[in-house]
Amino acid sequence: MVEKILNREDVKSFLAETITLVKYNQKEIPNTFSEEKIPKEQYCFYVTIDAIIKYSIFAKKTSFDDYFDQVKRIVKKLQTHNDMMTAMHRLIIKTVKYELDIKEENELTNKMVIQYIAQKYDQEGYFFHAFLFNGQENLMYSDDEVNQVEEIIKLFDQYHINHSIETINREHPMIYYTDSPFMAAFYAYNSPFLLYQLCIELIRKNRKKEVESNDFFFQNFQNCYHSLDQLLKKYELPMNEKRKVLIFFENQWKKYDRKNSVPVIACVKKRGRGTYNLSFKKDEDLATCVGHLLESRVNDQKLDLSVKPDFYIPMPSMDKILENSKLSENSPEENELPDQEILEVANSYGSANVVAILGMLFIALGVILMLIMIGEG
């Protein structure tokens, strides 16, 4: 179901909006998510995918069209991460209430909502592992590639280049997983992670000035190659040593063929391995309790390769998404008022702004009247 939803034209069109229109990259967001730096230009993209995956977990009867309309309004109208998450949690609550046919809110129905979400998300939900698929069955590293990685690590250590690249263990291969759909989407569109480490993370770790880059996300090989080359020059690696790193990077890019590959999220059922404690404080509102339940607890955790995924979610490729960018630029703005229950946070800010503007207008009008009276006097 998720694959079908993600490949809908309206969904791809909105995803294209989130990464091509300036209004989406001005949100106030945390510096890191699960210790990963998320560029502002990508943030709304992952929020949208996260909401779609959660819909597939919680909803059976709820109309996706109605749900997605609310997701789009939240992403468009709210400007801070906290406000967006609060609104998304309210949307989940509204969805679950519809699923359970709950028409009122009290302590008993709140517990029913929490128990439903805990069961579906925390106990029966999924761990996620992201990777890139280009049609080849086996993209494991060869012995030669393992040796090259080890040599690159030694070079970086020798020239005091800050990095987080680990030696590849071929005898006990591991994969990494997260419990967050948001982070799974990030890893999927920034796979393979070793290449991401070389041309994005490595640059970020070794520059004093904060640098945002979406070159890897948008699959721009030339810019990624140039950035890596410039960094190696900065640390004055001899030409032959620098070439080893650059050739490895170029060969890996060709091997994975990112332009023609599909980002994939592998889903492994938790099977009761959830960690949430159902007890919650009485003074906390329902949205806060749901927020605690949905927050990520594990990220970048190692999982033995013998654990097989229950199913896979092929994501729309970046090229397929960007095909919709021109369409999204011409799409009309939604003028409907946002749902009061879901976008309560946005409305409160909107009301404050209106009051402030009216106050300024009244002050200006008073000044004008006073000047007229002085002139007449």
Side-chain angles (χ1 to χ4, degrees):
M1 180 176 71
V2 187
E3 179 184 1
K4 186 177 180 180
I5 290 174
L6 287 168
N7 280 287
R8 283 177 39 155
E9 291 304 313
D10 60 333
V11 172
K12 288 190 292 185
S13 179
F14 184 67
L15 287 174
E17 274 192 31
T18 64
I19 54 177
T20 57
L21 301 186
V22 174
K23 64 182 179 181
Y24 292 102
N25 61 38
Q26 297 175 335
K27 311 289 187 182
E28 293 180 24
I29 66 174
N31 189 47
T32 60
F33 294 81
S34 297
E35 300 184 0
E36 300 289 356
K37 177 72 175 177
I38 309 291
K40 286 189 174 183
E41 293 84 355
Q42 300 174 35
Y43 169 75
C44 290
F45 180 81
Y46 302 133
V47 166
T48 303
I49 294 175
D50 179 270
I52 291 171
I53 293 176
K54 285 173 180 170
Y55 168 85
S56 73
I57 293 172
F58 296 120
K60 298 295 182 186
K61 300 184 297 183
T62 305
S63 161
F64 176 74
D65 290 338
D66 293 342
Y67 179 90
F68 191 52
D69 281 344
Q70 296 300 331
V71 169
K72 289 189 289 184
R73 288 174 183 144
I74 290 168
V75 175
K76 285 181 178 181
K77 294 176 183 292
L78 299 185
Q79 298 304 312
T80 72
H81 170 73
N82 288 341
D83 288 351
M84 289 176 72
M85 290 303 100
T86 299
M88 288 294 185
H89 297 155
R90 288 180 180 147
L91 177 57
I92 294 293
I93 292 168
K94 182 179 180 181
T95 301
V96 170
K97 283 183 175 180
Y98 181 79
E99 295 293 319
L100 297 177
D101 197 27
I102 293 175
K103 295 181 173 60
E104 59 184 43
E105 182 171 328
N106 54 49
E107 188 174 345
L108 177 60
T109 58
N110 285 353
K111 285 184 177 179
M112 291 171 63
V113 170
I114 290 291
Q115 288 172 348
Y116 180 92
I117 293 175
Q119 188 69 24
K120 291 288 185 182
Y121 192 78
D122 195 53
Q123 298 299 313
E124 298 174 359
Y126 302 93
F127 295 122
F128 306 100
H129 166 67
F131 62 96
L132 207 61
F133 180 71
N134 66 358
Q136 298 182 39
E137 291 187 5
N138 184 10
L139 284 176
M140 297 295 293
Y141 291 105
S142 66
D143 290 335
D144 185 50
E145 288 172 322
V146 171
N147 293 335
Q148 290 178 58
V149 171
E150 290 179 357
E151 192 169 351
I152 288 171
I153 291 173
K154 289 178 182 177
L155 278 175
F156 289 167
D157 291 341
Q158 178 183 347
Y159 288 92
H160 306 291
I161 300 176
N162 190 14
H163 71 93
S164 56
I165 299 171
E166 296 181 358
T167 302
I168 299 168
N169 189 332
R170 285 184 56 80
E171 292 184 6
H172 302 285
M174 305 289 286
I175 62 172
Y176 293 84
Y177 71 91
T178 178
D179 64 354
S180 163
F182 179 98
M183 294 307 302
F186 165 75
Y187 290 123
Y189 284 96
N190 290 280
S191 290
F193 201 61
L194 177 57
L195 278 180
Y196 173 84
Q197 287 179 307
L198 282 173
C199 67
I200 298 297
E201 199 175 78
L202 192 71
I203 310 300
R204 187 179 291 140
K205 284 178 176 291
N206 291 280
R207 284 190 179 174
K208 292 181 180 179
K209 186 178 179 181
E210 184 67 27
V211 177
E212 290 285 1
S213 176
N214 294 283
D215 291 329
F216 192 73
F217 178 73
F218 285 114
Q219 303 168 342
N220 190 321
F221 170 75
Q222 292 299 332
N223 285 0
C224 290
Y225 185 94
H226 176 74
S227 296
L228 180 57
D229 181 43
Q230 291 302 304
L231 179 71
L232 299 177
K233 282 182 180 177
K234 172 186 170 182
Y235 282 88
E236 299 181 344
L237 269 70
M239 181 61 70
N240 63 320
E241 305 286 28
K242 187 181 77 167
R243 289 297 300 160
K244 289 177 184 177
V245 180
L246 293 173
I247 289 173
F248 176 81
F249 176 77
E250 184 173 4
N251 288 340
Q252 289 296 298
W253 192 288
K254 289 178 181 176
K255 172 183 175 179
Y256 284 93
D257 191 16
R258 297 189 74 244
K259 275 283 185 183
N260 299 302
S261 298
V262 178
V264 176
I265 296 177
C267 303
V268 180
K269 270 191 172 294
K270 291 182 179 178
R271 293 182 175 85
R273 289 176 289 187
T275 59
Y276 185 71
N277 183 350
L278 275 180
S279 63
F280 55 92
K281 299 176 182 177
K282 286 187 177 181
D283 59 343
E284 286 185 330
D285 64 15
L286 187 56
T288 302
C289 295
V290 169
H292 292 328
L293 180 54
L294 297 179
E295 67 187 10
S296 178
R297 288 171 178 75
V298 293
N299 192 71
D300 202 23
Q301 297 292 310
K302 292 182 179 180
L303 187 69
D304 193 290
L305 275 179
S306 62
V307 178
K308 301 300 180 185
D310 290 271
F311 63 92
Y312 300 89
I313 305 174
M315 313 293 283
S317 68
M318 187 54 58
D319 282 353
K320 291 293 184 184
I321 290 170
L322 291 177
E323 284 176 4
N324 291 268
S325 60
K326 290 185 179 179
L327 176 65
S328 67
E329 287 172 3
N330 298 321
S331 62
E333 286 289 333
E334 293 181 14
N335 296 316
E336 305 97 325
L337 287 174
D339 186 307
Q340 181 68 26
E341 177 188 353
I342 297 172
L343 297 184
E344 191 177 61
V345 177
N347 288 343
S348 66
Y349 283 119
S351 300
N353 288 336
V354 169
V355 171
I357 292 170
L358 286 174
M360 291 172 65
L361 288 174
F362 284 131
I363 292 171
L365 181 60
V367 171
I368 293 170
L369 289 173
M370 184 176 67
L371 290 174
I372 293 173
M373 292 172 65
I374 292 172
E376 289 178 347

